[in-house]
């Protein structure tokens, strides 16, 4: 299965230049020194969660697979690198033939993670692996940040419908990735058409204040909308006076009116009033959508309000205070001194000396989530040796790429469902919105 | 001049689906109601600056022009909209023929802005203007947030070199736009190759810790790097022991060593020690680059340190605490009731009632920056009538698109230079990093 089966194919440009220059200059120097082919293991992980967060959410894995597949240097790119004198001719020649041929394992998309979790492990020659650093981190750092915010919001919404509508608040392509990550994290739909086109996420939307203002009266606008979009549409009722608007809305659309949207004011109070008014007008099936600068705290505070759906923009696409994770991509092991290019050579664990021991253990790692007798997660266990018997079958890394070939494509729905399961196994305190420590500890064995 | 002259052309996909669904459903309803052709004026502005900020920086204007030019629905997009039943056949037909044919005026890129500044004004039929809302806001909200952070950092750096290296901390295409916005805001170079390719921004980079760890000793790594990249390269000296590394670096590269990079520790202290050691070793021309979680405050705190260049990542690409602006795109005037499609019909100013009077004045606006006798800015003056005589020649909106044709392309360098001039006219307190009110007030006349 390739990405074309899981959404509409888009002309994905090569991802090869979404790369920091130093990845290429390191390849040049290593090629010359004869060390470029040393078998190497890189791992992506984070040393800490954003302050106060109880768990992280892995998102972007599917996009990483696309990025690895599309990572190649075409003639125009090689011409650019030559013209700018960024690397030398032998390196350009090597780059022109570049295709990742190594192996990638990682946490499945939608999984939760904790400090130290080896979210992605990339293995191959030094040169082929180091080149992928920047784009892999871009994707994981962005998408996981959005998914983590989405997960908190979906926990706060307690089953009510969540609509992602933040496209206008972030870069136009971040927006598409944000809608995707939000879907993984528990959102139900997006306003972003490109996200519907690319990833098959359900899209929604009816009208804005401009539509009301375009018409001579609010009633004209409502009539125009109902005429065209049907009685099941959502009418925006806060352009002028909400009570007046709700009366007009039901008069024009009848009690079959799909929904009203409230985008300003004290949402708790207004939602109660509007619900009462709708019921009195017989529109008992008409839903209420609220959409005004919501975050997980505002959503939670509306738990007692008669609200059927939340539209969330800014706070979602900016990660609700944490717009990026702090994932890094580190060389953790490589072939010994004389074993250039020999994949069977013994690996030497490596680590930057200045880091704390716990947070940067060298060596190729496994990870497993230990659960108590009630099935509740109690620790993220990470090690470099053999997996202890009691953790066999609980390993978190799955095979994603084998010998350069993607082997783990899946529909986005699978990641979304996996997240619900993974979050459900965490201790209840994971769902608290208040600041706290990671809900389980990380143990190195 | 088109964008191809100002950087390498890239296969820019159509921007038409970077759009919230409701823009299309509004078009459908307005087409049916006969109001879609009403001549309309939309303005993009912000009601407030991010908390504590003294000024905003307009960035992304050039990207907006690209987006408007590339906004068209191809067969596959139309097929998607049909299959998902998002709009009806008459609307699909209208969309298939869509090209923006109206006018756009706006603040020139690199200008500063304040609450209420009409940063962009889009004028044409309701339908053709409303469609552009989402992508215009995506670009302006993202790029201006990054440029504002960059501007503060460049003020703090006081002429020292600034390198953008945040690609790995944000979406891979946000990263490219961030490098562009950072350049407008005063940065000198980027690590992001795609930003060099697309926008001609100077790119830099040499090596990471992984390169040192790949080799059997730090000396082997330094030798390999100097052999390949020359003595002018930048060696990373904090993988193991900084003093030892600096000694080895100068021993291997000689006093012609280009620079050393320090990526951890107490940068103020370490920079002083490294400078002293370099000088003692005769490497008096070797520069010091620092790159560890810097923001404008850290940069300012290093003013007394012997640092030659700052590399900034996370805090730049996340807008240093404010990853998005709060720009909105509002219908401010439209043709009167009977004047559907008549561009000469008198315009009616419109505004959502629930907004404060000052922050959403209806009507097509001009803006000018009033200066005192010393040439220092003292107010952002905004009005809807004739421009007062004393402000003629000080208007801030320039023509960008005329009848659908882009008329104001410029090299990125022009925006970068304009920002220096615009910021230079502000009162000195604009440069304070501490929180405060907008450095000049907004007056409506």
């Amino acid at each position: 299965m390739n990405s074309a089966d899981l959404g509409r194919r888009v002309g994905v440009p090569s991802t090869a230049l979404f790369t920091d220059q130093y990845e290429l200059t390191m390849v040049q120097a290593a090629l010359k020194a004869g060390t470029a082919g040393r078998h190497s293991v890189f791992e992506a992980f984070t040393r800490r969660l954003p302050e106060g967060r109880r768990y992280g959410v892995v998102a972007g894995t599917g996009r990483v697979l696309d990025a690895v597949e599309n990572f190649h240097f075409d003639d125009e790119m090689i011409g650019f690198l030559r013209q700018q004198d960024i690397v030398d001719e032998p390196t350009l020649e090597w780059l022109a033939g570049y295709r990742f041929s190594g192996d990638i394992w990682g946490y499945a998309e939608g999984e939760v993670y904790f400090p130290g979790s080896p979210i992605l492990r990339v293995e191959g020659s030094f040169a082929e692996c180091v080149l992928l650093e920047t784009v892999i981190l871009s994707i994981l750092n962005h998408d996981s940040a959005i998914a983590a915010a989405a997960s908190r919001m979906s926990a706060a919404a307690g089953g009510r419908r969540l609509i992602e509508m933040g496209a206008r608040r972030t870069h136009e392509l971040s927006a598409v990735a944000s809608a995707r990550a939000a879907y993984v994290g528990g959102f139900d739909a997006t306003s972003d058409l490109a996200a519907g086109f690319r990833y098959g996420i359900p899209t929604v939307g009816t009208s804005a204040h401009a539509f009301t203002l375009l018409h001579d009266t609010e009633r004209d606008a409502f009539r125009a909308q109902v005429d065209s979009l049907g009685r099941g549409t959502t009418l925006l009722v806060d352009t002028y006076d909400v009570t007046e608007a709700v009366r007009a809305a039901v008069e024009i659309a009848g009690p079959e009116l799909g929904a009203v949207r409230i985008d300003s004011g004290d949402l708790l109070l207004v939602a109660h009033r509007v619900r009462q008014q709708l019921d009195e007008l017989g529109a008992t099936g008409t839903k209420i959508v609220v959409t005004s600068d919501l975050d997980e705290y505002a959503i939670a505070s509306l738990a007692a309000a008669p609200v059927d759906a939340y539209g969330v923009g800014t706070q979602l696409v900016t990660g609700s205070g944490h717009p990026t994770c702090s994932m890094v991509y580190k060389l953790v092991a490589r072939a010994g001194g004389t074993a250039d290019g020999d994949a069977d050579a013994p690996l030497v664990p490596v680590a930057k000396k200045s880091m704390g021991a716990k947070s940067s253990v060298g060596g190729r790692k496994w990870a497993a989530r230990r659960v108590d007798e009630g099935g509740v997660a109690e620790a993220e266990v990470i090690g470099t040796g053999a997996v202890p018997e009691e953790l066999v079958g609980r390993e978190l890394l799955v095979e994603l790429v084998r010998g350069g070939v993607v082997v783990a494509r899946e529909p986005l729905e699978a990641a979304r469902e996996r997240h619900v399961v993974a979050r459900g196994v965490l201790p209840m305190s994971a769902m608290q919105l208040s600041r706290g420590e990671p809900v389980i500890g990380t143990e190195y064995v």
Side-chain angles (χ1 to χ4, degrees), chain A:
Chain A
M1 186 157 44
N2 66 38
S3 61
D5 303 320
L6 307 166
R8 280 160 199 264
R9 205 186 53 74
V10 284
V12 181
S14 167
T15 50
L17 290 187
F18 299 140
T19 299
D20 287 327
Q21 178 167 317
Y22 75 9
E23 320 285 11
L24 273 64
T25 50
M26 284 192 279
V27 169
Q28 173 181 319
L31 282 171
K32 186 156 187 207
T35 47
R38 285 191 176 182
H39 189 79
S40 298
V41 182
F42 284 82
E43 286 174 357
F45 62 93
T46 177
R47 298 196 184 94
R48 56 187 177 282
L49 298 180
E51 202 194 330
R53 290 284 178 86
R54 310 291 178 112
Y55 62 95
V57 180
V58 177
T61 317
R63 296 212 309 116
V64 166
L65 300 182
D66 289 345
V68 171
E69 223 168 37
N70 288 310
F71 199 102
H72 56 86
F73 294 86
D74 65 22
D75 290 348
E76 200 184 358
M77 292 174 172
I78 295 291
F80 162 75
L81 298 173
R82 177 179 292 121
Q83 187 197 315
Q84 298 298 312
D85 203 15
I86 287 169
V87 285
D88 62 16
E89 286 299 324
T91 308
L92 291 176
E93 197 174 310
W94 186 89
L95 292 175
Y98 179 83
R99 285 289 179 169
F100 180 70
S101 69
D103 302 322
I104 302 182
W105 287 62
Y107 278 39
E109 187 155 12
E111 252 304 344
V112 297
Y113 70 85
F114 298 92
S117 298
I119 290 156
L120 205 73
R121 189 177 71 209
V122 180
E123 195 159 346
S125 76
F126 173 79
E128 70 177 336
C129 295
V130 80
L131 269 191
L132 298 176
E133 173 177 27
T134 313
V135 73
I136 284 177
L137 288 178
S138 289
I139 293 172
L140 294 179
N141 272 321
H142 175 268
D143 292 15
S144 299
I146 307 307
S151 176
R152 284 163 61 85
M153 291 171 186
S154 79
R160 289 176 178 174
R161 189 170 164 78
L162 280 167
I163 304 162
E164 185 282 308
M165 37 180 40
R168 65 191 55 197
R169 301 297 179 201
T170 188
H171 184 279
E172 63 276 21
L173 277 148
S174 291
V176 183
S178 292
R180 184 186 180 284
Y183 194 68
V184 170
F187 272 57
D188 300 286
T190 177
S191 63
D192 189 326
L193 290 169
F197 180 86
R198 177 67 187 85
Y199 297 115
I201 301 167
T203 60
V204 294
T206 55
S207 65
H209 294 111
F211 187 78
T212 301
L213 297 173
L214 168 68
H215 293 87
D216 300 326
T217 67
E218 189 174 54
R219 281 171 182 260
D220 282 359
F222 285 1
R223 240 176 254 119
Q225 187 175 330
V226 171
D227 271 2
S228 178
L229 302 176
R231 294 169 189 274
T233 195
T234 299
L235 291 171
L236 180 57
V237 293
D238 70 338
T239 305
Y240 304 111
D241 178 81
V242 174
T243 305
E244 193 52 52
V246 170
R247 186 178 306 127
V250 177
E251 203 177 299
I252 289 162
E256 307 96 309
L257 175 61
V260 295
R261 179 160 76 93
I262 307 165
D263 187 45
S264 56
D266 178 337
L267 296 176
L268 181 66
L269 186 71
V270 177
H272 274 292
R273 283 193 188 155
V274 167
R275 181 72 270 160
Q276 190 182 348
Q277 190 186 0
L278 285 170
D279 290 347
E280 285 167 6
L281 292 168
T284 52
T286 300
K287 292 186 155 56
I288 296 177
V289 185
V290 296
T291 57
S292 178
D293 274 336
L294 299 177
D295 60 12
E296 60 267 46
Y297 304 101
I299 290 169
S301 76
L302 289 167
V307 166
D308 300 284
Y310 304 95
V312 188
T314 307
Q315 289 304 313
L316 177 72
V317 299
T318 57
S320 200
H322 299 292
T324 186
C325 308
S326 46
M327 283 183 212
V328 292
Y329 180 90
K330 294 293 176 191
L331 180 66
V332 296
R334 47 98 182 148
T338 55
D340 182 22
D342 178 2
D344 296 326
L347 290 178
V348 181
V350 295
K352 184 166 175 282
K353 197 183 170 192
S354 65
M355 297 175 187
K358 267 206 164 175
S359 58
S360 71
V361 179
R364 183 206 278 128
K365 291 172 208 60
W366 54 263
R369 193 157 298 142
R370 195 176 66 228
V371 297
D372 65 18
E373 60 282 3
V376 177
E378 59 176 21
E380 192 84 339
V381 189
I382 299 172
T384 54
V387 179
E389 204 175 323
E390 71 272 21
L391 293 175
V392 170
R394 303 214 142 268
E395 292 102 321
L396 290 159
L397 282 88
V398 298
E399 190 174 24
L400 300 171
V401 174
R402 185 190 310 148
V405 179
V406 173
V407 295
R409 287 217 186 275
E410 62 179 12
L412 199 53
E413 209 64 49
R416 179 175 157 82
E417 288 165 12
R418 181 179 298 116
H419 179 60
V420 173
V421 174
R423 193 177 64 183
V425 174
L426 297 180
M428 284 290 284
S429 57
M431 307 300 178
Q432 290 173 12
L433 296 180
S434 56
R435 283 161 176 266
E437 295 299 308
V439 75
I440 59 174
T442 302
E443 296 177 8
Y444 290 86
V445 296

